[in-house]
Amino acid sequence: MMDESERAVQAAIDGEMRLLDPEVRASPARVLALLDPEFTEIGASGRLWDAESVLTVTSSGSVSAESPVKVSEMSGVVLAPGVVHLTYFADNQGRRAWRSSLWRLTETGWRMYFHQGTSTG
């Protein structure tokens, strides 16, 4: 049986994996439902993103069912009640990066508040 912290981490992992799902990414409404209204991202390119700019990328088909993002070494920790930090390694068609996300519990559920990618060799 999972305790509250384990459930929180699992909810954040589930949300993260949904955001990587090509079907979810193709739907701006589904993506926005997972992003906090104050969402920001520092991409692996160094570019600063907000929710609207991320929608352009997620709906572009950069991730497809034929070439999904490969995720490994996913781990999470509760930083405070209602705040989870996730880290993992992602390989998107040879573009490899360490990823870090902050998820927070809102009235509508767990939503990604911040994301950062760091390219690797």
Side-chain angles (χ1 to χ4, degrees):
M1 194 143 154
M2 290 198 296
D3 68 16
E4 187 175 335
S5 290
E6 291 169 321
R7 283 191 298 276
V9 169
Q10 189 58 55
I13 290 171
D14 292 346
E16 191 83 38
M17 296 308 291
R18 283 195 304 276
L19 282 171
L20 293 171
D21 182 313
E23 287 185 29
V24 172
R25 293 170 72 86
S27 167
R30 291 174 73 184
V31 171
L32 283 177
L34 291 165
L35 297 181
D36 192 274
E38 298 176 20
F39 170 81
T40 58
E41 174 177 343
I42 300 171
S45 65
R47 180 176 172 189
L48 184 61
W49 303 79
D50 61 11
E52 288 301 315
S53 58
V54 163
L55 288 178
T56 303
V57 173
T58 59
S59 61
S60 72
S62 61
V63 174
S64 69
E66 295 79 32
S67 57
V69 175
K70 296 176 186 148
V71 173
S72 61
E73 301 182 49
M74 177 80 75
S75 66
V77 63
V78 174
L79 298 178
V83 180
V84 170
H85 179 226
L86 296 180
T87 58
Y88 62 98
F89 186 77
D91 185 332
N92 183 8
Q93 301 177 35
R95 289 180 38 228
R96 300 159 44 98
W98 281 105
R99 301 280 176 179
S100 175
S101 299
L102 290 176
W103 287 78
R104 70 177 175 181
L105 184 58
T106 69
E107 292 177 2
T108 60
W110 286 94
R111 298 177 86 175
M112 184 186 284
Y113 175 75
F114 177 78
H115 186 79
Q116 182 167 355
T118 303
S119 293
T120 65

